[in-house]
């Protein structure tokens, strides 16, 4: 279900209390369970707009350049435009009124269903997003804090977040594996279920080859339907390796697809840049390479990339996968690589 409406946003100006002639920043203490995205949201700051600035001003006080320490004090970026309703805005003066286009998509869940337009940088582009496994097949399994966790739930959550980012930049998006009940979730442990369906509402087969062929048929059918348009496929999985093996994000493409290779390379290049910026003391070891042996890589028609997010059984990788802020960052970085690929085509 999709509805279109207009939001009227008031742009306010406000001042901070000066200290020795300089503006000072508000500070907050990180509580247990806080991440950068949740901390900014909690204090009325748009995390997507101010994530990078928050890291810049708090870099020396962050673990691995991206994680908060419980009990430490962090500075909140000075907000020049506040689009969040606040009760103390009575002292602020409205400078202008903007019309912002927004649409709602129920598949993202009640809290996340509104998609505000950020740009039209992906206008004309069509993306097919396939999250790994689903339905009768949970994919890779592990145990965290005494509870079972599964690949399909985390791949799906990241895929939904990616879909929302792409939509915000004007793309058309088909979410191929769907769960109308889940939406984007903020929990670390995502409850497992088996009610996912394949676009638009097909039962996912029990047989593995049949499941993969169903996805191929759906994607190729839509590709034919949208013939002549710019079309790309992004498949998201979570790997399962030995417990002690910590891996980075990997990208695969068809060996004969130059467009697929460029898409994988663009996202990989974005991840390399992000690691250099946010984790300068850690080398990024993820690669992009051809992997035509993978069924979806071999059989689907659109240029595509197949993404492995991490090892669900490894403790360090679990931090990347289970932390909702990290899942959002992954989706954001992938989307930036997708935009780079589209604009450099």
């Amino acid at each position: 279900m999709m509805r279109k409406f207009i939001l009227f946003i008031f742009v306010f100006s406000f001042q901070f209390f000066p200290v020795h002639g300089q503006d000072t920043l508000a500070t907050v203490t990180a509580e247990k369970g806080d991440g950068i995205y949740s901390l900014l949201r909690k204090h009325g700051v748009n995390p997507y707009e101010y994530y990078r600035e928050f890291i810049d001003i708090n870099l020396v006080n962050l673990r691995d350049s991206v994680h908060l320490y419980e009990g430490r004090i962090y500075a909140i970026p000075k907000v020049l435009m506040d689009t969040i309703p606040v009760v103390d805005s009575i002292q602020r003066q409205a400078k202008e009124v903007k019309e912002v286009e927004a649409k709602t998509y129920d598949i993202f869940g009640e809290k996340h269903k509104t998609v505000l337009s950020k740009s039209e940088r992906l206008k004309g582009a069509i993306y097919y997003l396939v999250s790994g496994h689903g339905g009768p097949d949970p994919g890779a399994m592990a145990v965290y804090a005494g509870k079972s966790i599964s690949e399909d739930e985390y791949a799906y959550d990241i895929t939904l977040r990616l879909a929302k980012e792409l939509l915000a930049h004007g793309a058309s998006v088909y979410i191929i594996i769907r769960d109308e009940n889940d939406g984007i979730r903020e929990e670390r442990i995502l409850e497992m279920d088996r009610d996912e369906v394949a676009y638009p509402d097909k039962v996912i087969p029990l047989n593995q080859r049949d499941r993969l062929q169903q996805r191929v048929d759906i994607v190729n059918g839509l590709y034919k339907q949208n013939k002549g348009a710019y079309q790309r496929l992004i498949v998201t999985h979570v790997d399962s390796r030995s417990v002690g093996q910590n891996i980075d994000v990997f990208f695969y493409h068809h060996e004969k697809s130059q467009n697929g290779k460029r898409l994988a390379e663009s996202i990989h290049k974005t991840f390399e840049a992000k690691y250099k910026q946010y984790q300068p003391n850690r080398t990024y070891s993820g690669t992009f390479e051809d992997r035509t042996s993978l069924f979806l890589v071999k059989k689907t028609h659109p240029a595509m990339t197949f993404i492995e997010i991490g090892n669900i059984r490894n403790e360090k990788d679990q931090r990347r996968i289970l932390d909702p802020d990290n899942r959002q960052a992954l989706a954001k970085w992938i989307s930036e690589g997708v935009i780079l690929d589209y604009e450099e085509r």
Side-chain angles (χ1 to χ4, degrees):
M1 180 178 179
M2 183 175 71
R3 298 187 297 277
K4 186 176 180 181
F5 58 91
I6 299 295
L7 291 181
F8 291 92
I9 297 181
F10 290 88
V11 182
F12 298 102
S13 64
F14 56 98
Q15 295 183 343
F16 293 83
F17 292 105
V19 176
H20 302 302
Q22 300 290 328
D23 283 345
T24 187
L25 299 176
T27 59
V28 297
T29 302
E31 299 177 352
K32 185 176 181 179
D34 277 341
I36 295 175
Y37 280 92
S38 59
L39 185 75
L40 290 174
R41 274 196 298 264
K42 191 160 56 175
H43 293 279
V45 177
N46 186 330
Y48 310 117
E49 296 287 339
Y50 291 92
Y51 179 86
R52 179 173 297 181
E53 186 176 341
F54 179 91
I55 287 179
D56 288 343
I57 62 179
N58 291 286
L59 187 60
V60 297
N61 217 14
L62 296 171
R63 175 171 55 83
D64 295 333
S65 303
V66 291
H67 293 97
L68 305 177
Y69 287 101
E70 180 185 349
R72 290 197 182 179
I73 296 174
Y74 294 92
I76 299 296
K78 183 177 181 180
V79 180
L80 300 179
M81 183 176 75
D82 187 2
T83 62
I84 302 175
V86 289
V87 295
D88 63 346
S89 64
I90 198 167
Q91 294 181 356
R92 303 177 181 180
Q93 296 182 344
K95 292 172 62 179
E96 60 178 302
V97 177
K98 286 187 177 180
E99 288 187 356
V100 177
E101 186 178 355
K103 297 179 182 179
T104 60
Y105 300 83
D106 290 341
I107 195 167
F108 296 136
E110 186 63 31
K111 293 181 180 179
H112 295 272
K113 67 180 181 181
T114 301
V115 179
L116 296 177
S117 176
K118 296 179 181 179
S119 76
E120 292 191 342
R121 296 172 70 182
L122 293 175
K123 186 176 182 180
I126 298 173
Y127 294 95
Y128 308 110
L129 306 185
V130 178
S131 55
H133 305 278
D137 175 22
M141 302 279 293
V143 175
Y144 179 84
K147 296 201 69 173
S148 295
I149 56 175
S150 63
E151 172 183 2
D152 65 327
E153 302 296 341
Y154 292 92
Y156 182 63
D157 189 76
I158 292 168
T159 296
L160 287 184
R161 293 170 187 270
L162 173 59
K164 189 171 181 179
E165 288 291 329
L166 299 180
L167 287 166
H169 290 287
S172 296
V173 178
Y174 292 86
I175 300 171
I176 305 302
I177 301 303
R178 310 167 65 84
D179 188 331
E180 301 293 341
N181 301 321
D182 283 348
I184 294 173
R185 291 177 280 178
E186 300 298 337
E187 296 82 13
R188 294 180 65 83
I189 297 178
L190 301 183
E191 295 295 334
M192 297 165 50
D193 59 36
R194 298 192 174 189
D195 60 351
E196 293 86 6
V197 297
Y199 178 88
D201 57 1
K202 298 178 180 179
V203 174
I204 298 174
L206 183 62
N207 178 271
Q208 180 187 19
R209 186 177 177 84
D210 290 344
R211 286 197 301 272
L212 295 176
Q213 188 63 55
Q214 180 188 60
R215 292 164 204 213
V216 168
D217 292 342
I218 292 170
V219 170
N220 289 348
L222 290 169
Y223 180 78
K224 183 178 180 180
Q225 178 182 311
N226 293 307
K227 185 178 180 180
Y230 176 97
Q231 305 179 61
R232 295 292 185 267
L233 166 63
I234 300 173
V235 179
T236 306
H237 276 255
V238 180
D239 210 345
S240 177
R241 304 191 184 191
S242 64
V243 174
Q245 191 170 0
N246 170 221
I247 64 174
D248 276 318
V249 182
F250 289 82
F251 308 93
Y252 304 122
H253 60 86
H254 194 289
E255 62 181 352
K256 295 182 179 179
S257 173
Q258 289 302 310
N259 288 333
K261 179 181 179 180
R262 190 183 64 197
L263 174 62
E265 185 176 10
S266 296
I267 305 174
H268 178 265
K269 187 187 302 183
T270 301
F271 270 67
E272 280 188 321
K274 296 296 184 182
Y275 269 71
K276 286 179 181 177
Q277 180 179 1
Y278 298 128
Q279 300 188 51
N281 297 322
R282 183 175 180 270
T283 302
Y284 174 60
S285 62
T287 62
F288 74 96
E289 58 190 78
D290 62 85
R291 187 65 68 87
T292 311
S293 59
L294 295 169
F295 195 89
L296 263 66
V297 175
K298 184 177 182 179
K299 298 289 187 179
T300 49
H301 294 163
M304 64 92 72
T305 185
F306 186 109
I307 305 175
E308 289 281 10
I309 295 298
N311 178 8
I312 197 170
R313 300 179 64 203
N314 179 266
E315 183 179 351
K316 289 183 178 179
D317 283 2
Q318 283 178 348
R319 294 176 194 159
R320 179 194 312 148
I321 299 163
L322 271 65
D323 187 328
D325 287 335
N326 284 348
R327 297 199 297 271
Q328 181 60 41
L330 285 167
K332 185 71 163 54
W333 294 1
I334 295 170
S335 74
E336 290 182 19
V338 168
I339 293 172
L340 175 66
D341 170 70
Y342 185 63
E343 292 185 335
E344 293 189 348
R345 70 192 188 282

